[in-house]
Amino acid sequence: MGWPSVSRSSARAHPEPSGVWSVGSAPASPEKWGPRRKMLLLFAAGVLSQYSLDVLALGHNSLQALAVRIVWSLGMVTSALLLDERAESSVRLHTAFQSAVASLSFAALVLVTGATASAYFHFFPCIPLIVCLLYPRDSTAATVSGALCGAGAAGLLWVEGRPASEVLLWAGVVVTVALIGAYGVHRFREAQRAENEGRLERARREALETLAISERRRAHSEKLATIGQLAASVMHEINNPVAFIGANLDYLEREVLSGAEVSREELAEVFRETRAGVERVRQIIADLRGFSRMDEEEPTECALADVVSDAARIARLRLQHVARLEVDIAENLPPVLAVRRRLAQVLLNLLVNAGDALEARGRHGSEVRITGRREGERVVLRVEDNGPGFPPHVLPRLFETFFTTKGPEKGTGLGLALSREMVEQFGGSLVAENREEGGARLRLEFPVSAAP
Ligand code: ADP
């Protein structure tokens, strides 16, 4: 008989492009000659070579049997040439075609080797089973083969005038075997699918775990970065008040120990300044406490006049020897949605920067101005100074973290970067530009709060 044996490796499972595993089918291989095509060519050679079995069965050469085997193997070679292993539809079509060719060729072989008396006749029920083994993925192949072989066996018996019961018996046996084979194919596929689904599920779970781990790591490193930035900005903010508290103590020590006459007014001024410095540090610590509870703080409606007055109150301590501070906030300015303390922190950053920029110029004529206006559906705050403004090489880098022109002693390069980030958290924007008349302008824009 013309069937080469089936190796178990032909029923391996392969991943398909859709991610669903299939059994015994060709993988979506970029190779020109995939396993299925190679198998067909091998079987074509096997079918031809087993002509020797026909000679043994008949006891002589049979051109008819040879012709049947040639047609059969040509069918396989044609399939091998036309099959596109990457296309599911092509694989299905060729599987059905191969099943039909094999069943019809086998029936023809039985006919030319003695019909019901042929040594092959009793193998009719085996053909659908062999088809199942070769194509365990596709029960259509078993069905096609069962129908054709059943009809073939019954037809040969009927032509010879055998009793109807015998004809029906053979047809029934072949069809039953084909149905059992198709059922086996179905169960095999189910088992494979369950196994592959389990494998996919395991892979999915592993991927999720990996994702969760990397997410945790990312959150952790973000937290570390925030802590680093915070430490730097705390240093920046505390440096100034601590410096003038220290200067005042030096002055007191010098004057008191030398026994020099110090007027009560002067002493009161020194104490007032020192207390203001301590108050500033206390305020920073309070702000930091707020920062550590940042996640809990929900934005609320803030009147910009209040925010500006919070910031100006502290900034005046810095600006009083450097520049005049003017505040001009339009009446009835609509509220914005923000965390008041954090917005005040942003303004304070801008005012401290303005003070730094004006320091070298001397107080005379130096001015810092805050204006607040409504422009359509936006509220716009401008913080301007008449200092040197931003040099052209500085302007594009202002909002880069750690960009500073003040040197490591004084600047951290975090003020503007953090300020912009905070403003954006409240749906606003922060941009910097030079004023036409000279000096710097920081422009904050917020949408008018839509809260009821
Ligand atoms: P830092 O103040 O620590 O340097 P910032 O991010 O607040 O960090 O500012 C970055 C740089 O922007 C400053 O070093 C300075 O060169 C420039 N800058 C900020 N504000 C002004 C201003 N009002 N006038 C001129 N330059 C400014």
Side-chain angles (χ1 to χ4, degrees):
M1 205 189 72
W3 291 98
S5 63
V6 186
S7 76
R8 276 188 59 76
S9 63
S10 66
R12 270 181 304 145
H14 308 287
E16 288 192 330
S18 61
V20 177
W21 283 59
S22 61
V23 180
S25 68
S29 155
E31 240 183 280
K32 194 171 173 227
W33 290 94
R36 187 175 281 263
R37 299 174 102 187
K38 284 181 188 156
M39 178 189 88
L40 282 170
L41 289 180
L42 200 70
F43 284 7
V47 162
L48 263 186
S49 69
Q50 287 182 347
Y51 169 66
S52 51
L53 291 181
D54 304 346
V55 177
L56 279 179
L58 293 170
H60 57 80
N61 272 317
S62 163
L63 280 181
Q64 287 170 318
L66 186 61
V68 169
R69 286 189 179 274
I70 289 173
V71 170
W72 188 346
S73 57
L74 279 179
M76 287 183 161
V77 173
T78 312
S79 247
L81 293 175
L82 297 179
L83 175 68
D84 177 2
E85 298 203 36
R86 280 160 300 189
E88 179 68 12
S89 56
S90 172
V91 171
R92 278 183 164 273
L93 182 74
H94 282 275
T95 302
F97 175 69
Q98 281 309 313
S99 169
V101 167
S103 305
L104 290 174
S105 302
F106 181 77
L109 195 62
V110 174
L111 180 67
V112 299
T113 53
T116 56
S118 164
Y120 298 142
F121 184 83
H122 289 86
F123 285 100
F124 260 122
C126 301
I127 304 302
L129 279 186
I130 294 173
V131 165
C132 288
L133 285 174
L134 285 176
Y135 304 110
R137 197 182 157 224
D138 195 349
S139 49
T140 321
T143 314
V144 168
S145 176
L148 291 176
C149 288
L156 289 177
L157 290 165
W158 184 72
V159 167
E160 284 185 10
R162 300 288 187 91
S165 57
E166 196 179 349
V167 173
L168 284 175
L169 175 70
W170 270 94
V173 167
V174 176
V175 169
T176 306
V177 170
L179 286 177
I180 290 170
Y183 176 70
V185 164
H186 170 74
R187 289 301 303 269
F188 182 67
R189 284 177 58 201
E190 288 288 292
Q192 282 291 330
R193 188 172 298 137
E195 191 186 319
N196 293 327
E197 271 170 12
R199 200 175 302 159
L200 282 177
E201 178 57 29
R202 267 198 306 282
R204 197 180 66 86
R205 219 177 305 135
E206 273 167 21
L208 280 178
E209 273 165 19
T210 314
L211 193 71
I213 289 170
S214 65
E215 188 55 30
R216 265 204 303 279
R217 281 201 190 123
R218 194 188 61 79
H220 184 63
S221 50
E222 257 176 25
K223 210 167 165 184
L224 286 180
T226 311
I227 290 169
Q229 285 179 350
L230 188 62
S233 80
V234 169
M235 187 185 83
H236 176 71
E237 294 297 335
I238 288 184
N239 217 16
N240 276 337
V242 167
F244 72 74
I245 291 169
N248 283 357
L249 285 175
D250 286 348
Y251 168 80
L252 282 177
E253 188 179 33
R254 217 173 34 247
E255 298 297 315
V256 172
L257 292 186
S258 68
E261 279 279 306
V262 187
S263 73
R264 283 184 167 275
E265 290 73 36
E266 216 171 329
L267 275 180
E269 169 77 7
V270 170
F271 283 130
R272 197 175 55 75
E273 272 185 9
T274 308
R275 191 167 297 113
V278 172
E279 174 59 23
R280 168 84 186 107
V281 175
R282 202 187 58 74
Q283 178 69 40
I284 290 169
I285 290 167
D287 279 355
L288 281 176
R289 237 182 250 133
F291 185 89
S292 68
R293 287 197 304 266
M294 190 168 68
D295 296 343
E296 295 160 25
E297 274 184 291
E298 281 296 315
T300 53
E301 283 198 341
C302 301
L304 280 181
D306 296 342
V307 179
V308 171
S309 100
D310 287 352
R313 203 178 57 245
I314 302 170
R316 279 206 170 87
L317 305 172
R318 165 77 182 103
L319 292 175
Q320 59 188 343
H321 301 299
V322 180
R324 199 156 56 86
L325 175 62
E326 272 198 26
V327 178
D328 171 16
I329 306 292
E331 272 180 34
N332 303 327
L333 206 58
V336 299
L337 210 55
V339 176
R340 175 170 166 172
R341 194 204 305 260
R342 307 196 66 70
L343 208 50
Q345 179 78 42
V346 169
L347 278 175
L348 185 61
N349 276 336
L350 305 185
L351 293 171
V352 168
N353 275 344
D356 289 347
L358 288 165
E359 200 154 35
R361 194 178 185 273
R363 192 175 192 281
H364 187 69
S366 297
E367 195 176 273
V368 181
R369 173 185 287 267
I370 308 175
T371 49
R373 297 283 182 272
R374 177 176 188 153
E375 292 181 10
E377 283 309 293
R378 317 277 289 171
V379 181
V380 181
L381 268 187
R382 290 185 184 81
V383 179
E384 300 170 302
D385 64 65
N386 58 354
F390 307 110
H393 68 281
V394 167
L395 200 53
R397 304 193 55 196
L398 281 180
F399 295 97
E400 276 177 28
T401 35
F402 301 112
F403 174 76
T404 179
T405 58
K406 298 178 188 168
E409 289 297 304
K410 201 168 178 195
T412 59
L414 287 169
L416 289 180
L418 289 177
S419 297
R420 175 178 267 184
E421 201 179 302
M422 276 188 227
V423 169
E424 285 175 354
Q425 270 172 15
F426 305 137
S429 63
L430 171 61
V431 291
E433 59 194 10
N434 280 318
R435 301 195 314 161
E436 273 171 22
E437 59 273 43
R441 175 184 295 130
L442 278 302
R443 185 183 154 93
L444 295 116
E445 271 195 39
F446 297 94
V448 170
S449 165

